[in-house]
Amino acid sequence: MPIIMLAAAAVAIAPPAWLYPQNMAAESPASHAPISVPGSRVTVDAAILHDRAQTVNWFPADQPAPPARVLKAKAGEFACGYCHMVNGVGHPQNISIAGLNADYVIAQFAAFRSGQRKAAQPGYIPNNSMTRVAGQVSEAEVAELANYYSKLRYRSLIRVREAAMVPRVRAAGLVWERVPGPPEPISGRIVELMDRPEDSLRHNPRGRSTAYVPPGSIARGRRIAAELGCMACHAQMLGGWGPGRSPSYIVRQLLAFRNRARTDPGAETMQPIADQLSLDDMVAVAAWMGAGTKASR
Ligand code: HEC
Ligand code: HEC
């Protein structure tokens, strides 16, 4: 594995392939079938699910009326809800943004635009897409969107489970998907899967997922978090950031701080913290945070 020496003392960690599923050839083909999601009264032509410029408001009563950009963008551009959902809960390949502090949201747009917020894995499509989105919206739109998403209630639809053996998976689009066959050893990975794979393409804001983590990682993560004082800052900060946050997203971000792919002024606080964590430590601390135990509140 290539190791890059950085100006700071810490050595970059090679991003593991399991953290960045990417296989656009395996995306489901478009159809014109009428489709819905469980519990919704809305039915649409399935073809629109492939249009990144719009997203379906499956549950209009679940949140206040969103700014236009959440549901619709110009042809070829991205609607926010297409990835983060109308209620901001996100899915494993992006992230929950509901309840995030509005100033933090605005700062992240600036970081994506200036190239100071990249993924540790070069060419990772979700990060590249978010960077493109940041270039498509005006300051006024960002302020309006930050205000909208910051007022939504943070909640998690992710369940964390320790498991020695996990389902076999393949990359489909930008997520992992179960494939037939006997379970296989987890081998230090986090395997995050939508409980119903169709919820991914349907952008279902009530879609639940399960994050499998290595046995013992939650307790180990609790010890690491106590030593490094994660909650001294995170219990109070960033709003919307807490138990149930996607463990694979957390590891992607810790690696981005560690490998100096996240370098905006706000990131400077996190870099020396990430420098003290091995990849296994990152997995453990992310498992603990995602598990949403009382201890992490
Ligand atoms: C193509 C999918 C996609 C679209 C559309 C999209 N995002 Fe994102 N967004 C992402 C991904 C992926 C990330 C995480 C990137 C990373 O890992 O660095 C992200 C990150 C963010 C973050 C930072 C979250 C955090 O906790 O640091 C904010 C805020 C955000 N997006 C807001 C928006 C808003 C507002 C819109 C609409 C203008 C939008 N996004 C549209 C994919 C998307
Ligand atoms: C001294 C305060 C402080 C401590 C301690 C701290 N953090 Fe952070 N953390 C921050 C700040 C500030 C940010 C926002 C960085 C930015 O603006 O880019 C952040 C961001 C993050 C993010 C990215 C969040 C997102 O939505 O993208 C993760 C993940 C994270 N921290 C995990 C941890 C973990 C795990 C620990 C303990 C091992 C920890 N932090 C300890 C201050 C802290």
Side-chain angles (χ1 to χ4, degrees), residues 26 47 73 77 82 104-105 111 141-142 173 195 206 231 258 285:
E77 297 196 349
Y82 183 78
Y104 172 78
V105 171
E141 275 179 297
V142 172
D195 292 351
R206 293 188 185 173
M231 281 304 148
R258 168 68 175 254
V285 90

Side-chain angles (χ1 to χ4, degrees), residues 104 229-230 233-234 237 241 245 249 257 262 266-267 269-270 273:
Y104 172 78
C230 309
C233 293
H234 285 290
M237 292 172 47
W241 197 91
R245 209 149 167 73
Y249 172 83
F257 292 124
R262 263 183 94 160
T269 315
M270 274 309 296
I273 293 165

